[in-house]
Amino acid sequence: MSTSEPVNIIMIGMAGSGKTTLMQRINAYLHEQNKAPYVVNLDPAVSKLPFQANIDIRDTVDYKQVMSEYNLGPNGGILTSLNLFTTKLDQVVSLVEKRASTTKYFLYDTPGQIEIFTWSASGAIITNTLAATYPTVVVYVVDTPRTASPATFMSNMMYACSILYKTQLPFLVAFNKTDVVGHEFAVEWMEDFEAFQRALRQQEDESFMNSLMHSMSLVLDEFYSHLRVVGVSAMTGQGMEAFFGKVDEAVKEYHDEF
Ligand code: GTP
């Protein structure tokens, strides 16, 4: 099957936000559409993957062995495993390039501990290398039910904002688990500054946190205006079509800019 230009999708999100389940859902959806993706697992510590990865970091580095060999804790073990894997990134790129004429979407699942990928040198090297090959969309997965309070919402959006500015890549926020809680409240808070302020005021606690949130929401208002957002459920498959609509839109906008 020949296809149009490939797109890399890097899945990033807080632990438990549903990255792996969403990868599984996207993988299944693309198979149904006859657009089988190429899947890369970058999480050395995942015990069981619910999908077949074409490239799996665990085939190259044994995270538990790395921990004992270098006398590291779990996070140090994951980071060092990622560093070791990054030294072989050229091999990954050449494998990916061989599939580029027949595959449209290349999916990358990242470690559960978000900061290990987003704030490490190897995370940056992987992201920049991928972005130099094909248009690359960063998907920031949000656990919608756990983000329904103004304070957690704001913290999550601050994190998303920092990743957007760090990577400078097309960016999509995927509000996951919409089978449990819809993401309409998030869209409203992003589009209507007053609505978010009202939600903040409704919180009983008039603490320092609230006044910090109030100031921060002014900063984020600008960020929201550049943000692409979609609601999905990795569990039910709801929102898959909209998800790819937004991914393609992000890639198109990227091309228009350059
Ligand atoms: P880490 O491995 O810690 O990085 O987690 P992750 O972000 O990969 O999340 P994972 O896919 O392991 O999902 C975490 C939990 O959320 C699991 O119990 C999933 O079954 C559940 N989950 C994921 N997506 C959904 C969803 O759309 N709806 C519901 N109801 N649960 C979900």
Side-chain angles (χ1 to χ4, degrees):
M1 181 185 65
S2 91
T3 184
S4 50
E5 186 186 29
V7 174
N8 293 317
I9 297 179
I10 304 178
M11 209 67 82
I12 290 177
M14 302 279 179
S17 57
K19 295 178 294 296
T20 304
T21 315
L22 188 56
M23 281 281 284
Q24 178 189 20
R25 173 60 66 184
I26 288 172
N27 188 26
Y29 174 81
L30 288 173
H31 274 280
E32 280 163 23
Q33 306 279 313
N34 260 335
K35 291 180 184 165
Y38 194 79
V39 182
V40 181
N41 172 44
L42 297 174
D43 187 353
V46 70
S47 53
K48 203 159 172 274
L49 273 187
F51 49 81
Q52 182 78 39
N54 298 86
I55 298 176
D56 193 332
I57 185 171
R58 295 174 305 169
D59 296 336
T60 312
V61 275
D62 180 340
Y63 135 84
K64 291 223 167 103
Q65 201 182 320
V66 168
M67 269 172 73
S68 78
E69 196 176 328
Y70 296 92
N71 200 17
L72 299 165
N75 287 335
I78 296 172
L79 179 59
T80 305
S81 300
L82 202 62
N83 289 343
L84 292 170
F85 182 77
T86 305
T87 62
K88 299 189 170 138
L89 198 57
D90 57 322
Q91 294 172 30
V92 176
V93 170
S94 63
L95 284 169
V96 162
E97 279 174 345
K98 280 190 191 127
R99 296 294 290 267
S101 61
T102 53
T103 308
K104 164 106 177 146
Y105 295 105
F106 290 81
L107 312 176
Y108 298 84
D109 196 9
T110 62
Q113 286 71 3
I114 186 170
E115 67 282 5
I116 289 179
F117 191 79
T118 52
W119 298 109
S120 67
S122 42
I125 291 168
I126 293 171
T127 308
N128 293 339
T129 305
L130 296 181
T133 54
Y134 308 114
T136 299
V137 179
V138 174
V139 173
Y140 184 76
V141 185
V142 174
D143 186 331
T144 312
R146 277 170 59 195
T147 310
S149 90
T152 50
F153 178 77
M154 173 70 73
S155 311
N156 219 328
M157 289 303 106
M158 291 294 292
Y159 210 99
C161 181
S162 67
I163 296 171
L164 170 70
Y165 287 111
K166 185 167 192 294
T167 61
Q168 312 249 337
L169 289 172
F171 198 80
L172 170 62
V173 179
F175 284 97
N176 188 30
K177 310 193 186 181
T178 53
D179 56 296
V180 181
V181 172
H183 73 302
E184 293 74 14
F185 75 89
V187 174
E188 190 192 4
W189 286 350
M190 288 169 153
E191 287 177 352
D192 182 351
F193 181 74
E194 285 303 320
F196 184 72
Q197 294 302 316
R198 273 197 304 280
L200 265 184
R201 281 195 297 271
Q202 273 164 16
Q203 290 200 146
E204 281 167 24
D205 146 39
E206 280 293 323
S207 60
F208 162 76
M209 190 67 176
N210 263 10
S211 69
L212 175 69
M213 294 293 149
H214 179 85
S215 314
M216 288 304 184
S217 58
L218 288 165
V219 176
L220 282 175
D221 218 34
E222 165 70 12
F223 165 65
Y224 293 151
S225 63
H226 300 290
L227 214 56
R228 236 167 258 98
V229 169
V230 69
V232 293
S233 166
M235 196 70 98
T236 66
Q238 182 182 310
M240 280 302 105
E241 213 179 311
F243 176 90
F244 280 100
K246 295 280 178 175
V247 166
D248 293 344
E249 205 181 283
V251 171
K252 186 175 177 304
E253 204 174 292
Y254 175 77
H255 279 310
D256 291 347
E257 276 175 27
F258 294 95

